[in-house]
Amino acid sequence: MPDIGDFKDVAVIEVFVKPGDTVKLEQSLITVESDKASMEIPSSAAGVVRELKVKLGDTVNIGDLLAILEGTGGAVAPAAAAAAPVPAATAATPAVAAPAAPSAAAVPAHNPTGAPVGLPHASPSVRKFARELGVPLNEVKGSGPKGRITEADVLAFTRSVMAGATQTQAQAAKAPAAPAGGGGSELGLIPWPKVDFTKFGPVERKELSRIKKISGANLLRNAIMIPAVTNHDDADITDLEAFRVATNKENEKSGVKVTMLAFLIKACVAALKKYPEFNSSLDGDALIYKQYFHIGFAADTPNGLVVPVIKDADKKGILQISQEMGELAKKARDGKLTPAEMSGACFTISSLGGIGGRYFTPIINAPEVAILGVCKSTIEPVWDGKAFQPRLMLPLSLTWDHRVIDGAAAARFNVYLGQILGDFRRVLL
Ligand code: CAO
């Protein structure tokens, strides 16, 4: 059992293999579930399962032996997975945040040997959601990976029952699936177009990476379930950019490059402190206000998007944040981020500043309630009351959950963010 972060006595909720099965390297052996997340544990070796050391309902800890495999040469290897586990696509995993695992794209999708018995196949948050609605999970048909029941399935079931459908009809109601799956029927949508593209020209079919599959499911849920609005604004970062460039010159030898994103993280912490509802999460009819400031940042990797998290950004200086960001971004690109390094974010920043563009509408990384998108700064003519001045303007796009935040608060958040970025001394006030 590998180190999966700060977990103890996690329950085994699925067992995918049985003695006699042939297991590939990094094939999922079991799913474990804590009160926060469920995740699949991959095998650290390939071979034939000689003995399983865990069963459904057991609890496991780091270092526990999960199975004994017999290699093709007859050698026996313990399959306590050494590779980092692949978080399952649950509500608890970051959303935009595609969890990365070492060689995540290379992890083959496992084929469960049979339907897991016992607990319905759903994450803790989905179970909680179902309990709140009084939905019997064992009557809900799962549309997620491996038949996992998603929040959308629970909602679809509820809608069907409320519309007077029979239970069978309710079960038949399909949750929104990946577009190509043709889901969305309960939303009254027409089916996803099925086109034979070869009729029009040569094509090549490529499987989505594991990160894309996981993030896609999360993005779809967040896009459908969150009444999201995006406010666009500009921040004058002329002086801040000059300070950043000067700081980098002074620190040339340190090897740490101060980035605009580090200043944005610090500025967002100040804005989250001033407007605490942006640092909250919905829990039924209540809001959980977080008293910590962990900021996620979207990182583009060859396998897809991941969101590493700078923990306790309020307690760190710009240099430390820049250094940590550099390390986390490298780990992200190398596919070496651990689940712990991608969890716990209160708020996410998605910066396309190094690439280009003006504004965009980022999707909220549930259960967070807002996300800041940043694009490339450009010199703009800004009227100072007497004349136009050339100022370096940074485009900001703040997407927020309208169930928690109102438009006026979002506008204030952006204005305050702009004021801080315009004069960073305000952080001290
Ligand atoms: N305006 C103008 N220039 C900017 C800028 C901005 N807002 N932000 C960064 N830059 C510049 C940097 O100064 C740097 O220039 P130099 O090389 O001349 O110093 C260059 O752009 C490259 O920056 P970077 O991208 O390497 O560094 P970063 O700190 O801005 O970003 C990271 C790091 C990991 C966030 C980034 O590499 C990345 O992955 N961005 C993509 C995130 C993404 O895909 N978001 C979309 C999510 S929705 O699908």
Side-chain angles (χ1 to χ4, degrees):
M1 180 67 192
D3 184 359
I4 56 166
D6 195 16
F7 294 114
K8 266 200 190 129
D9 296 330
V10 285
V12 177
I13 61 157
E14 284 169 301
V15 178
F16 299 124
V17 294
K18 58 181 186 322
D21 282 356
T22 301
V23 168
K24 290 184 194 153
L25 178 68
E26 294 198 339
Q27 181 175 334
S28 298
L29 297 174
I30 57 172
T31 304
V32 294
E33 183 172 72
S34 73
D35 55 344
K36 295 195 189 99
S38 59
M39 59 185 69
E40 293 175 16
I41 306 298
S43 176
S44 59
V48 177
V49 179
R50 205 181 75 182
E51 207 179 324
L52 261 180
K53 293 291 191 183
V54 287
K55 59 182 185 318
L56 218 58
D58 281 358
T59 54
V60 287
N61 286 294
I62 177 170
D64 285 355
L65 186 61
L66 304 181
I68 294 181
L69 304 185
E70 197 164 302
T72 41
V76 171
V86 181
T90 71
T93 47
V96 180
S103 329
V107 179
H110 64 74
N111 292 309
T113 49
V117 285
L119 284 168
H121 194 22
S123 71
S125 60
V126 170
R127 281 209 202 102
K128 183 165 179 289
F129 184 55
R131 262 200 313 277
E132 280 168 6
L133 293 176
V135 168
L137 264 190
N138 53 0
E139 291 179 22
V140 179
K141 190 173 181 322
S143 69
K146 306 179 296 289
R148 188 179 290 269
I149 299 168
T150 65
E151 228 170 76
D153 294 325
V154 174
L155 272 180
F157 181 91
T158 313
R159 281 198 203 104
S160 305
V161 171
M162 290 187 73
T166 64
Q167 277 193 1
T168 323
Q169 283 166 330
Q171 283 169 10
K174 279 187 96 185
S185 56
E186 86 289 0
L187 297 175
L189 304 177
I190 57 171
W192 191 259
K194 265 211 167 294
V195 177
D196 176 10
F197 300 104
T198 57
K199 281 196 306 200
F200 306 107
V203 295
E204 183 194 5
R205 185 186 161 87
K206 273 190 184 170
E207 277 301 303
L208 289 174
S209 72
R210 181 151 174 79
I211 287 181
K212 280 230 160 87
K213 283 182 193 161
I214 294 170
S215 62
N218 281 287
L219 287 163
L220 181 67
R221 179 200 58 210
N222 299 343
I224 288 177
M225 293 186 67
I226 301 174
V229 185
T230 306
N231 281 36
H232 303 288
D233 210 337
D234 294 313
D236 184 336
I237 57 162
T238 315
D239 298 339
L240 186 57
E241 176 62 6
F243 176 66
R244 187 186 78 85
V245 171
T247 307
N248 277 336
K249 253 201 185 128
E250 278 167 29
N251 286 314
E252 222 159 15
K253 287 193 187 116
S254 73
V256 179
K257 186 175 149 195
V258 172
T259 64
M260 187 49 70
L261 197 47
F263 285 105
L264 280 160
I265 288 177
K266 213 62 194 164
C268 284
V269 168
L272 292 176
K273 282 184 177 170
K274 192 166 169 77
Y275 300 104
E277 70 265 37
F278 285 80
N279 195 20
S280 72
S281 283
L282 266 173
D283 183 24
D285 288 337
L287 275 185
I288 310 288
Y289 287 88
K290 290 150 206 168
Q291 286 156 11
Y292 51 86
F293 299 88
H294 302 339
I295 311 293
F297 64 96
D300 188 29
T301 80
N303 287 324
L305 192 65
V306 292
V307 183
V309 179
I310 301 282
K311 302 270 163 60
D312 297 314
D314 56 319
K315 300 191 180 107
K316 293 174 182 166
I318 296 287
L319 288 175
Q320 191 181 349
I321 292 176
S322 294
Q323 179 169 4
E324 275 186 31
M325 260 175 43
E327 287 161 7
L328 288 169
K330 178 169 185 325
K331 272 184 150 184
R333 282 192 297 273
D334 297 345
K336 288 196 172 140
L337 284 174
T338 64
E341 285 167 326
M342 290 181 286
S343 43
C346 307
F347 181 87
T348 296
I349 303 178
S350 177
S351 172
L352 296 172
I355 304 168
R358 292 296 289 163
Y359 303 95
F360 68 114
T361 53
I363 294 175
I364 294 169
N365 192 7
E368 294 157 42
V369 294
I371 180 168
L372 180 72
V374 181
C375 284
K376 193 177 177 69
S377 55
T378 48
I379 301 277
E380 306 271 333
V382 177
W383 185 252
D384 70 358
K386 288 186 190 131
F388 281 107
Q389 302 293 346
R391 305 294 295 176
L392 186 63
M393 304 304 287
L394 180 71
L396 306 173
S397 302
L398 180 75
T399 302
W400 41 279
D401 186 335
H402 213 334
R403 293 171 299 179
V404 178
I405 292 157
D406 292 327
R412 284 190 197 106
F413 187 96
N414 265 353
V415 166
Y416 184 63
L417 206 54
Q419 286 171 344
I420 290 173
L421 294 169
D423 185 348
F424 226 78
R425 290 172 302 184
R426 284 174 185 273
V427 168
L428 303 170
L429 297 177

